Amino acid sequence: MSSGIDTYIKEKFGLKDVDIRTYSPLTLAYIGDGVFDLIIRSVVVGKGNTRPNKLHYRTSGIVKAHTQALIIEYLLPYLTEEEADIYRRGKNSKPQNKAKNATASDYRKATGLEALVGYLYLTDRFERLVELVKQAVDGLNLEM
């Protein structure tokens, strides 16, 4: 793929390029949340057709803050310096929302992971992103 899905969307909707460095970590986490969810849903659906409530159960077990915290803790040694910096910026940001069903620590780590996902997506590094998610899913033996 010569250009990523974000580039394709921008072209089709006539959106101008924005310097990624101007995005706040919470903006990166916002888009990253949706992209991470899409990756996990794609894997879950790809494993076979089943009832929607079963699909939701499998997906929600992975996209919740606690599991995202486990994922990023597993991935930290594999991140580049740039990726680790984006994660730290996201983790140290001050989200407006409170964690619903997670500890504050897990919520911050999950926000950092989502910021990294958003950053990789917006910089057209989708292959690297999927590689990292697969590495964590396999390494942690996550059930999907």
Side-chain angles (χ1 to χ4, degrees):
M1 177 181 346
S2 61
S3 67
I5 189 171
D6 182 60
T7 300
Y8 180 75
I9 291 168
K10 285 178 182 171
E11 288 172 3
K12 289 298 176 187
F13 283 86
L15 304 173
K16 57 185 170 185
D17 281 332
V18 178
D19 185 347
I20 191 81
R21 295 170 296 180
T22 65
Y23 286 131
S24 75
L26 294 177
T27 298
L28 295 175
Y30 174 77
I31 190 74
D33 177 55
V35 171
F36 185 76
D37 192 66
L38 177 63
I39 292 168
I40 299 304
R41 284 178 185 231
S42 296
V43 173
V44 168
V45 167
K47 290 188 178 253
N49 190 24
T50 190
R51 294 185 316 271
N53 64 333
K54 198 171 206 176
L55 295 171
H56 175 74
Y57 178 78
R58 290 178 184 165
T59 300
S60 62
I62 306 293
V63 300
K64 65 184 180 180
H66 177 70
T67 306
Q68 287 182 340
L70 294 175
I71 288 170
I72 194 61
E73 287 172 358
Y74 178 85
L75 288 176
L76 278 173
Y78 303 103
L79 299 182
T80 66
E81 188 175 321
E82 176 189 30
E83 292 166 348
D85 183 55
I86 297 296
Y87 162 70
R88 277 189 298 277
R89 285 182 53 219
K91 184 181 108 176
N92 295 331
S93 64
K94 303 288 186 223
Q96 299 293 331
N97 301 334
K98 299 258 189 229
K100 293 177 191 149
N101 296 312
T103 66
S105 174
D106 280 355
Y107 191 73
R108 285 192 305 275
K109 290 175 187 175
T111 301
L113 173 65
E114 291 170 349
L116 175 60
V117 169
Y119 179 80
L120 291 172
Y121 169 75
L122 291 173
T123 56
D124 286 336
R125 293 186 236 179
F126 201 71
E127 286 182 25
R128 171 68 174 157
L129 170 56
V130 172
E131 173 188 304
L132 287 171
V133 172
K134 171 121 175 66
Q135 187 172 2
V137 167
D138 291 348
L140 294 169
N141 296 314
L142 298 176
E143 289 289 324
M144 291 199 280

